[in-house]
Amino acid sequence: MFGIGELAIILIVVILLLGAKRLPDLARSAGKSARILKSEARAMKADSASTSASGSDSVPGAQYSVRPGEPMRDAGPTTPRDAEGRPPTSPQ
C-alpha cells in the first residue's frame, strides 16, 4: 500500500503542520479514544449476549414486538382515505 518513503513524507508533513509540541497530545488523545471505543464495544457485546441469553425477543423501548412465527398486524392508515386508498381532497 504505502512504502517507507511515502510514510516518511506524510510524517514530515504532519510534523510541520501540527508542530512537534502538539504531536504527543494528539497521540495521547487518540489512544484514549481508542480505549474508550474498545471498552464500549466490549460492553455492547456483553449486553447483547446477556439479552439474547435471557430470551427476550423485543427491542427495548419498542411499543410492540413480533415474535418469530407470529403474523404482523396492520395498524391501518394514519390519515383518512377514500375507497381507492387516496387521501381525500379538500374542497376549493
Side-chain angles (χ1 to χ4, degrees):
M1 192 154 120
F2 286 114
I4 299 292
E6 289 89 0
L7 289 176
I9 291 172
I10 292 172
L11 183 63
I12 290 170
V13 169
V14 168
I15 289 173
L16 289 175
L17 289 176
L18 297 178
K21 291 183 181 182
R22 293 174 68 188
L23 282 178
D25 293 335
L26 182 66
R28 191 174 302 117
S29 63
K32 284 181 184 178
S33 299
R35 280 192 296 273
I36 290 170
L37 181 65
K38 189 186 252 185
S39 67
E40 290 295 324
R42 284 184 188 153
M44 286 179 64
K45 271 187 185 176
D47 188 37
S48 67
S50 67
T51 53
S52 66
S54 68
S56 173
D57 290 335
S58 64
V59 176
Q63 188 175 5
Y64 302 104
S65 67
V66 177
R67 300 198 184 273
E70 182 180 321
M72 292 182 64
R73 290 175 286 234
D74 186 18
T78 57
T79 58
R81 305 282 177 170
D82 63 5
E84 287 140 9
R86 293 180 299 214
T89 58
S90 60
Q92 294 180 1

